[in-house]
């Protein structure tokens, strides 16, 4: 999914560290999303944004924050990482039908 | 409450046989329904969607899905499975301006 890129692809960090995951898109979409994926739980929405001035909490926003720096960029931060934030994180964009386009994911491990 | 259920954690099928991956939903109003596939170490890829019109929707890689309003179902099907279809499949339904994802079904196609 070259239209949506995520950095880093893998990250190992320690409890208490601040971490930022970055997402960029060339789809030209206004809508962007951050999800986390855990085995058996599917995808859960962390935050979403409909434009640069619009940020909304998803179902599991506690412990996370986001920044929409531009239409094409949406970053996710863990202010003080904890082990249960170990997961696979996905960024996505969508068109008006909500068909979503996903990035390749960031595998985050918090020790 | 709005929800999506994928009742099978795993579906096993022999190559060449037809496959079905089940999905039921609960959402008010007319549903927008989606299927995504996730291959190992990749992001989710869009397969198909139902918004309105014909209840049988055709998508990528020979997959199709049948919308059944009375049974609130949107099962994914393929007439003849390939080993390369082995992956994790997610059903999703639109709710307001978000997608609600099911927990995923792992499809294993045996040679």
């Amino acid at each position: 999914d070259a239209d949506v890129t995520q950095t880093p692809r893998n990250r190992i960090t320690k409890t208490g560290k601040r971490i930022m995951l970055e997402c960029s898109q060339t789809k030209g979409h206004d809508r962007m999303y951050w999800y986390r994926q855990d085995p058996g739980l599917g995808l859960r929405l962390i935050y979403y944004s409909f434009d640069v001035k619009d940020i909304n909490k998803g179902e599991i926003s506690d412990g996370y924050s986001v920044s929409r720096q531009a239409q094409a960029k949406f970053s996710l931060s863990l202010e003080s990482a904890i082990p249960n934030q170990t997961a696979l994180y996905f960024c996505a964009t969508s068109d008006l039908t909500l068909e979503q386009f996903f990035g390749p994911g960031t595998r985050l491990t918090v020790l | 409450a709005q929800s999506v259920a994928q009742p099978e954690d795993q579906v096993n099928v022999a190559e060449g046989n037809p496959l079905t991956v089940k999905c039921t939903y609960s959402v008010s109003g007319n549903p927008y329904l989606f299927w995504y596939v996730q291959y190992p170490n990749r992001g989710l890829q869009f397969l198909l969607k139902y918004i309105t019109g014909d209840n049988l929707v055709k998508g990528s890689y020979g997959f199709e899905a049948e919308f059944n309003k009375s049974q609130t179902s949107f099962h994914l099907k393929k007439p003849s499975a390939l080993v390369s279809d082995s992956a994790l499949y997610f059903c999703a339904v639109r709710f307001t301006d978000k997608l609600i994802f099911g927990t995923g079904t792992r499809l294993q196609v045996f040679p």
Side-chain angles (χ1 to χ4, degrees):
Chain A
D1 295 316
D3 294 330
V4 183
T5 57
Q6 293 183 234
T7 56
R9 293 293 311 277
N10 289 282
R11 181 73 183 267
I12 300 174
T13 190
K14 295 182 178 180
T15 297
K17 295 291 187 181
R18 184 178 188 274
I19 297 296
M20 179 180 286
L21 309 182
E22 298 186 353
C23 176
S24 294
Q25 54 113 346
T26 58
K27 301 289 291 183
H29 292 156
D30 288 325
R31 301 179 178 206
M32 297 187 73
Y33 307 79
W34 275 104
Y35 294 91
R36 66 177 278 175
Q37 183 181 14
D38 299 275
L41 296 178
L43 271 72
R44 292 183 291 166
L45 183 62
I46 305 172
Y47 272 96
Y48 59 106
S49 169
F50 290 163
D51 65 39
V52 174
K53 297 180 180 179
D54 178 78
I55 302 290
N56 304 281
K57 292 182 177 181
E59 61 178 306
I60 55 162
S61 58
D62 288 348
Y64 301 95
S65 62
V66 291
S67 174
R68 185 81 183 265
Q69 300 95 324
Q71 186 208 36
K73 296 185 181 296
F74 191 37
S75 60
L76 175 72
S77 293
L78 287 67
E79 297 301 325
S80 180
I82 56 177
N84 75 3
Q85 291 178 313
T86 293
L88 192 53
Y89 289 85
F90 287 105
C91 173
T93 73
S94 78
D95 61 18
L96 293 179
T97 69
L98 290 195
E99 178 181 336
Q100 298 199 355
F101 301 84
F102 285 81
T106 295
R107 186 170 297 280
L108 177 66
T109 302
V110 183
L111 301 176
Chain B
Q2 287 74 336
S3 64
V4 175
Q6 293 182 243
E8 301 154 317
D9 290 336
Q10 180 155 331
V11 170
N12 299 316
V13 64
E15 188 174 32
N17 284 0
L19 69 88
T20 299
V21 183
K22 296 179 180 177
C23 172
T24 59
Y25 66 91
S26 173
V27 68
S28 56
N30 294 320
Y32 287 18
L33 295 156
F34 302 81
W35 275 102
Y36 288 84
V37 60
Q38 184 181 27
Y39 298 102
N41 301 313
R42 301 285 299 275
L44 277 70
Q45 298 177 30
F46 170 79
L47 277 179
L48 50 80
K49 65 183 175 185
Y50 171 84
I51 296 176
T52 188
D54 195 346
N55 289 344
L56 185 63
V57 179
K58 293 188 182 299
S60 307
Y61 312 121
F63 283 94
E64 57 189 27
E66 186 170 11
F67 171 63
N68 187 316
K69 188 172 183 178
S70 63
Q71 296 185 3
T72 61
S73 67
F74 190 56
H75 300 333
L76 181 70
K77 300 180 180 182
K78 188 173 182 181
S80 179
L82 299 173
V83 172
S84 57
D85 293 329
S86 299
L88 188 57
Y89 291 80
F90 289 97
C91 180
V93 65
R94 176 178 180 167
F95 171 61
T96 60
D97 288 315
K98 304 182 290 293
L99 289 188
I100 300 171
F101 285 86
T103 52
T105 298
R106 186 164 300 281
L107 174 66
Q108 189 71 47
V109 181
F110 294 95

